[in-house]
Amino acid sequence: MSSRIHLALEPGVLDRLARLACTVTGAPAALVLRFDAGRTVAVGRHGWNGATPIPELGIDPAPARRRGAPELRVAASCPLTAGEDAEPLGTLVVLDAAPRDYAPADLQALDDVAAAAAAELARMRAEAETPPTPSVEFERAARMQAEAGEKRYAFLAEVSSLLDASLDYQTTFQKLARLVVPALADYCLIDEAEPGGGLRRIARAHVDPEKEKILYTNTYHPPVSEEEDLSRHPVLRVIRTGLPLLVADFTTEMVEVIAHDDDHRGRLAQLDLRSYIIAPLAARGRVLGAITLAASAESGRRYRATDVALAEEVARRAALAIDNARMYTLAQEAIRAREAVLAVVSHDLRNPLASILLNATMLLDMTPDGTLDPWMDDNLRQIVGSVEQTNRLITDLLDVARMEESGGIPLDRSPVDARPLVAAAVRMLRPVAAARGVELADDTRGPLPVMADPDRVVQVLSNLLGNAVKFTEPGGHVRVTAETYGGEQWFAVTDTGVGIPPEHQPYVFDRFRQVGRDRRGVGLGLPIARGIVEGHGGRIWVDSRPGTGTTIHFTLPAATGSESAA
């Protein structure tokens, strides 16, 4: 490699400034070079990895490194000096595949980046030459820098808090524009990219309420063709390229470039625009819009390259808010569509199922014993069992849909003794337990007054008992117990089954979640039980040890004496 450039290994501020130089000029690469005792050291770089030849700088990597790498040319350079008469500390070099001409605004922005790089080089040299004990000026500068950083982070924290407060991002963005003005801008505009390629303004704010009326609002700008000059449409340019745009000094000549018509030209004149930054609202690789921070002549505010990073960070957080809101809206629409389909399908399924169940039970009930062949009797009973199981599944699916739509299952609560409800659930599951060789016992004692929906309590108990029987091996036991404690009735369904591994226990009440390798059922029984229990104001939890068994505990509010009497 024949090169006069030495590489510094420590990335930092100068690397970011090299990236900023690429951003303001649209160039693919940039270097911050420092003059150091007869050597030139690359102390900051972006878009160049040392493998691409740069003839003007004498960089010609070995053939093995430069294979396939196109040459880069010096497209622009700025000397880095700490003062007008000071010796150059280095140079800022912008690299591109071919020489190009830059607009005056781009060159002004590049000068701002160079000034920041020169200040950083001067600071680095001062630190190297200054004794370890910091000077008063250095301490004051460090303190001012720290205070500025604290204000910046405090402002960004306020932005995040505002954006996180609501999923209605259009209303939130109007509040964001009011927050940005006057903290960062004299006026602020937020535009959302439309699917067809145009953009729509969704928020505006100005320090002067009268001038705010001049700003366009809720307006649509049609897309522009690929051939059209994007310099006339700076916001669309930022959205299409995904790169921020800094205009440090806006001139009257620029008005003629970006004005769409006489009305737009007149509005720009009234706003007295002098400087602006447009940052893309980018999230997950897509540009969703743009935010414009503008300064007027009256305030004296001017944007420089160092202001772009803060504008980009505000834009990044705003883009995430748009993206999250859009995904939430899509999810809600999908849920509503699924619920509509589920309601129609469940209704259409229940009608033929009712007919099948009616005919099968009529054949069983009306045929004298012994008349049907054993195989026919067995098949009819299987049909009845399958239809009842399908009806239960439809009911479970509708319950889950209600839970997701309204946050709970409708309940018809009244004072009731839960002991007969336990007995009813045990009676329903006893044939299933007997078929599996599992002992099922009701160990509850005395009255258990609760304020509850009796049908839903039976549903909870049957779901828990069915689960326990299903996962208990033949010869095992399943028991229901209950006690009164602290104004609640505590229930427990205990089995001697396989148990649940600790890592799976946090998920047993998740919808459609089946722990372990067993895939019997669809995973709705426990989530529905939780929805019913919590709808009553109770709690439900699991206590399990693998190889020992599982206990599902749940509570229901106890009915008071006056409620029980009523």
Side-chain angles (χ1 to χ4, degrees):
M1 174 177 177
S2 172
S3 172
R4 298 189 299 271
I5 306 295
H6 300 267
L7 297 179
L9 300 179
E10 304 86 355
V13 174
L14 294 169
D15 283 331
R16 294 196 294 272
L17 289 172
R19 173 181 174 274
L20 191 56
C22 293
T23 298
V24 299
T25 60
L31 294 174
V32 179
L33 305 177
R34 183 183 70 196
F35 303 147
D36 186 9
R39 300 188 310 163
T40 301
V41 181
V43 290
R45 54 179 169 156
H46 178 75
W48 182 74
N49 59 7
T52 305
I54 309 175
E56 291 95 332
L57 300 180
I59 296 177
D60 185 18
R65 294 190 64 199
R66 70 168 183 255
R67 186 177 294 119
E71 288 187 351
L72 288 175
R73 300 286 181 177
V74 175
S77 63
C78 297
L80 306 181
T81 59
E84 292 185 4
D85 299 325
E87 289 290 325
L89 302 172
T91 185
L92 172 64
V93 180
V94 175
L95 306 170
D96 209 334
R100 53 185 286 195
D101 294 327
Y102 291 104
D106 293 339
L107 293 176
Q108 177 61 57
L110 190 63
D111 286 339
D112 292 337
V113 177
E120 179 63 13
L121 289 180
R123 185 193 64 78
M124 292 168 63
R125 173 176 289 185
E127 282 188 355
E129 297 174 352
T130 303
T133 302
S135 66
V136 173
E137 290 76 11
F138 184 81
E139 288 181 352
R140 183 183 298 113
R143 184 168 59 252
M144 291 176 62
Q145 186 175 8
E147 290 174 353
E150 288 176 3
K151 291 180 180 178
R152 177 178 183 271
Y153 290 127
F155 178 78
L156 290 174
E158 194 172 356
V159 168
S160 294
S161 176
L162 175 66
L163 294 172
D164 292 342
S166 171
L167 286 169
D168 180 6
Y169 68 90
Q170 295 197 18
T171 301
T172 301
F173 275 22
Q174 185 57 51
K175 295 178 181 177
L176 174 63
R178 302 255 180 241
L179 179 64
V180 168
V181 174
L184 301 182
D186 297 324
Y187 67 89
C188 173
L189 306 171
I190 302 179
D191 297 284
E192 182 180 15
E194 293 281 299
L199 59 90
R200 184 175 300 281
R201 180 146 302 154
I202 58 176
R204 62 173 186 170
H206 197 294
V207 290
D208 184 344
E210 291 301 316
K211 287 190 174 182
E212 186 170 309
K213 299 174 183 177
I214 302 171
L215 301 172
Y216 288 116
T217 182
N218 197 31
T219 51
Y220 173 75
H221 192 293
V224 297
S225 65
E226 295 288 340
E227 296 76 21
E228 194 167 346
D229 184 7
L230 282 179
S231 65
R232 296 186 58 83
H233 309 279
V235 176
L236 286 172
R237 168 186 167 184
V238 168
I239 291 174
R240 184 173 293 180
T241 64
L243 297 173
L245 174 64
L246 167 66
V247 175
D249 292 292
F250 186 78
T251 63
T252 53
E253 291 79 9
M254 294 179 182
V255 172
E256 298 303 318
V257 175
I258 68 172
H260 308 150
D261 49 36
D262 289 341
D263 177 64
H264 191 201
R265 188 176 295 105
R267 289 172 185 258
L268 289 173
Q270 293 179 71
L271 291 170
D272 202 9
L273 177 63
R274 285 296 175 265
S275 182
Y276 65 84
I277 298 172
I278 306 175
L281 305 177
R284 295 194 301 156
R286 296 179 300 122
V287 180
L288 308 176
I291 182 170
T292 302
L293 310 183
S296 61
E298 184 178 352
S299 70
R301 190 196 306 259
R302 292 293 181 275
Y303 294 116
R304 295 295 180 251
T306 51
D307 299 313
V308 174
L310 181 56
E312 283 187 293
E313 184 59 25
V314 172
R316 185 186 69 81
R317 299 182 188 210
L320 288 175
I322 291 181
D323 196 45
N324 290 340
R326 285 182 175 180
M327 288 193 293
Y328 176 78
T329 300
L330 290 174
Q332 292 299 107
E333 290 173 353
I335 289 172
R336 286 192 291 271
R338 184 202 62 194
E339 289 168 352
V341 170
L342 186 58
V344 172
V345 170
S346 63
H347 179 270
D348 291 348
L349 277 176
R350 276 182 162 167
N351 288 335
L353 286 173
S355 178
I356 294 170
L357 182 61
L358 177 64
N359 285 284
T361 53
M362 283 180 61
L363 283 171
L364 287 170
D365 294 341
M366 298 180 66
T367 305
D369 292 341
T371 304
L372 293 175
D373 290 338
W375 66 268
M376 187 178 296
D377 184 86
D378 183 58
N379 284 345
L380 286 172
R381 295 187 186 279
Q382 286 187 36
I383 290 172
V384 170
S386 297
V387 171
E388 290 175 343
Q389 183 179 5
T390 304
N391 272 327
R392 285 194 297 271
L393 178 58
I394 292 172
T395 300
D396 286 348
L397 290 171
L398 289 173
D399 282 342
V400 169
R402 291 189 194 102
M403 289 166 60
E404 291 184 346
E405 180 180 11
S406 60
I409 295 175
L411 300 173
D412 183 13
R413 282 177 275 199
S414 61
V416 62
D417 184 0
R419 183 130 189 260
L421 306 181
V422 174
V426 170
R427 188 165 54 251
M428 289 170 55
L429 270 298
R430 186 157 277 141
V432 179
R436 285 188 54 81
V438 174
E439 179 189 345
L440 178 57
D442 175 3
D443 290 343
T444 58
R445 298 289 182 270
L448 300 168
V450 294
M451 191 69 181
D453 184 328
D455 292 336
R456 292 299 189 179
V457 173
V458 172
Q459 186 179 359
V460 170
L461 289 163
S462 61
N463 284 355
L464 299 184
L465 288 170
N467 237 40
V469 169
K470 182 167 58 178
F471 291 101
T472 300
E473 298 299 325
H477 308 277
V478 175
R479 285 180 167 76
V480 186
T481 58
E483 61 178 321
T484 303
Y485 181 78
E488 294 179 311
Q489 302 293 356
W490 289 47
F491 299 85
V493 175
T494 303
D495 65 58
T496 58
V498 295
I500 304 170
E503 63 272 18
H504 293 158
Q505 292 180 24
Y507 310 109
V508 295
F509 296 107
D510 288 357
R511 295 163 195 168
F512 303 104
R513 183 70 174 257
Q514 296 167 298
V515 300
R517 297 180 180 178
D518 197 296
R519 290 295 181 268
R520 288 171 281 182
V522 294
L524 291 177
L526 290 180
I528 290 172
R530 180 180 66 175
I532 295 172
V533 169
E534 292 179 349
H536 281 89
R539 295 163 291 127
I540 187 168
W541 67 97
V542 63
D543 179 14
S544 182
R545 295 176 65 183
T548 302
T550 299
T551 298
I552 303 289
H553 304 268
F554 72 94
T555 66
L556 292 173
T560 63
S562 58
E563 290 171 336
S564 300

